[in-house]
Amino acid sequence: MRVLVAGAGPAGLYFSYLLKRHDPRCEIRVVEQNPPDATFGFGVVFSDRALEFLRADDPTTYNLITPELEAWVDLVVVHRGERVVIDGIGFNAIGRLHFLRFMQQQAASVGVQPEFNTPVGDISGYDLVVAADGANSTVRRSADFGTRVTHCTNKFAWYGTPRRFEKLTQTFLEDERGAFNVHHYRHGGAMSTFVAECDAATWERAGFATMDEAATRICLERVYAPVLDGAPLVSNKSIWRNFPNVRNARWSVGNVVLIGDALRTAHFSIGSGTRLAMEDAIALVKALGEHTPPEALRAFEAARRPIVDKLVAAADASGAWYDRFAENMKLSPRDFAWSYIQRSGRVDPERLSRISPKFART
Ligand SMILES: Cc1cc2nc3c(=O)[nH]c(=O)nc-3n(C[C@H](O)[C@H](O)[C@H](O)COP(=O)(O)OP(=O)(O)OC[C@H]3O[C@@H](n4cnc5c(N)ncnc54)[C@H](O)[C@@H]3O)c2cc1C
C-alpha cells in the first residue's frame, strides 16, 4: 500500500510509526512543511486517565515516554488570591518539541523519515492519503468534508516561562482592564507552559489590538506579575488567537481521511487534543489491519465517532465555560472552583468525592 501522510505533528508521526510497525511492507511518505525543530506553543499536559489509552493500546510507547514526563497530582484554582486545591487527579506534561522529537525517533526506529520543509503538493497516485496537517489542513480543502469552523470568543496567547509551577494551576485575576486567567504548569526541568487568556471586552479595553508581539508580552508580564513573581514570559510566535472549533461532517472522502486537529479540535482547557490525535492514529491503523481502504476508512469512523463525539461535547462545554469565566468570578473562591470542576458536564459529584475527597468535603 502506498500512503501519503500530510503533516509530521503528533497525529502524522504516530500514525506513520504505528502503520509501519504493523505492516513493514507499506510505503509511507510523510511530508512536513516546517523543519524538524519547529513547533508552536510550549508544553502539553495529559491527565493520568488520558494516558490510560496508551498504556492499554501501545505499552511499548507508553513505557518509553513515561520517564520523559513531568508528573504530579492535584490541580489548583486561584481566585481572589485564594488557592483551592482539587486533590487526587494525576497529570503528566511534556514540552511539545521534546514530544515531537520523541515521536520522530519512534518513526525513525521503524524506518519512517519525514520529508521536512516540504509542503504537501499533489496527493494523487496513493492508495491512502492521511490528512494530519492540523486545524488549518490544506488537504481538507481537496474535497467536500462538510467542514465547519467556529471560534471561541476569548483571546488566548501561548507563552512559556522559566518559573517552575509544581501543579497544573488555573489563576484568575481582575484589574481595571477586566478579567484575565492563565493555565500554567511545568513541562520540563526549567520551563513551564503559560497560556494567557482574557475575554473579548477585556482585550479591547487593554488595547491589545494595537500592540505588537513585544509590547503584548511586556504588558502581560505586568498583568500576571503576581503569578510570575519576577520571571519573564518567553514567546514562541505567541500572538493572541481565538480558539478554532473544527468539525467535519465526513471523516473521509474517497481514499483521503482526516485525523487529529484536521478532523476536529478540542478546546485546550480539557488537555485532550494530542491524546485524541494519537487515539485517531491507533484506531485508523487498527481499521487498516482489518479492511482495505475505503472500507477501512468507514470502519475507522464507525468505531471512533461515538467516542470522539462525547469528548468533543465535553471540550465544547469547557470552552463555553471559559468564554464566560469573567461572569463566574463573582462567586466565592470555593464556589468558583466547584463551577470550574463541573464545567465539562462530565464530572459526577459521587465520583469526585471518591477521587478528590478533601475538595469534595470542603
Ligand atoms: C493553547 C493550546 C494548548 C494546548 N494544550 C494541550 C494539552 O495540554 N494537551 C493536549 O493533549 N493537547 C493540547 N493542545 C492541542 C494540541 O496541540 C493539538 O490537538 C495537537 O497538536 C494536534 O496534533 P496534530 O498532529 O493533529 O496537529 P498539529 O500539531 O497542528 O500538527 C500538524 C502538522 O502539519 C503540518 N502542516 C500543516 N500544513 C501543512 C502542509 N500544507 N504541508 C505539510 N505539512 C503541513 C504542520 O506544520 C504541523 O507540523 C493545545 C492546543 C493549544 C492551542
Side-chain angles (χ1 to χ4, degrees), residues 91-345:
F91 292 96
N92 307 272
I94 187 165
R96 211 181 118 88
L97 192 52
H98 188 157
F99 185 61
L100 286 176
R101 286 201 184 117
F102 170 83
M103 284 294 171
Q104 286 164 11
Q105 276 167 18
Q106 288 291 93
S109 73
V110 291
V112 175
Q113 300 283 358
E115 294 167 34
F116 290 101
N117 302 306
T118 310
V120 67
D122 185 6
I123 62 167
S124 61
Y126 297 91
D127 301 302
L128 175 67
V129 176
V130 179
D133 50 349
N136 295 320
S137 171
T138 307
V139 174
R140 205 172 54 207
R141 286 178 226 137
S142 67
D144 180 9
F145 289 91
T147 307
R148 195 167 51 90
V149 183
T150 58
H151 288 88
C152 289
T153 57
N154 274 3
K155 297 279 185 185
F156 76 91
W158 196 350
Y159 290 93
T161 175
R163 174 150 196 222
R164 187 178 156 93
F165 299 104
E166 290 306 318
K167 315 253 176 190
L168 169 60
T169 308
Q170 304 282 332
T171 300
F172 296 82
L173 300 166
E174 252 172 327
D175 68 15
E176 66 289 353
R177 288 163 281 213
F180 292 88
N181 79 297
V182 53
H183 314 238
H184 50 112
Y185 56 87
R186 62 185 148 103
H187 66 252
M191 276 305 277
S192 293
T193 286
F194 201 91
V195 185
E197 188 173 6
C198 66
D199 61 280
T202 301
W203 191 82
E204 288 293 339
R205 266 194 304 274
F208 287 120
T210 56
M211 284 184 213
D212 65 13
E213 199 178 322
T216 303
R217 183 177 46 75
I218 291 164
C219 178
L220 288 177
E221 282 174 346
R222 280 193 215 113
V223 168
Y224 293 109
V227 187
L228 287 166
D229 204 17
L233 287 178
V234 181
S235 176
N236 175 14
K237 297 171 221 129
S238 307
I239 50 162
W240 288 114
R241 292 163 53 196
N242 292 79
F243 187 83
N245 296 303
V246 174
R247 307 287 175 258
N248 286 282
R250 284 169 284 287
W251 289 26
S252 61
V253 174
N255 67 339
V256 182
V257 62
L258 309 174
I259 63 169
D261 276 12
L263 173 60
R264 114 276 61 214
T265 55
H267 192 262
F268 60 86
S269 58
I270 66 159
S272 290
T274 309
R275 168 244 181 126
L276 280 170
M278 292 174 73
E279 285 179 326
D280 289 344
I282 292 170
L284 182 55
V285 171
K286 185 163 184 289
L288 287 165
E290 291 164 1
H291 313 270
T292 47
E295 184 49 36
L297 308 189
R298 285 192 283 272
F300 162 63
E301 178 173 346
R304 182 114 179 89
R305 197 187 259 278
I307 304 161
V308 168
D309 284 353
K310 266 198 209 158
L311 231 130
V312 163
D316 284 351
S318 180
W321 186 92
Y322 273 93
D323 277 355
R324 291 189 316 272
F325 83 85
E327 291 164 35
N328 288 329
M329 283 175 74
K330 60 183 179 305
L331 297 172
S332 72
R334 280 187 186 269
D335 287 343
F336 183 75
W338 182 254
S339 165
Y340 166 81
I341 200 71
Q342 297 284 330
R343 73 195 185 286
S344 69

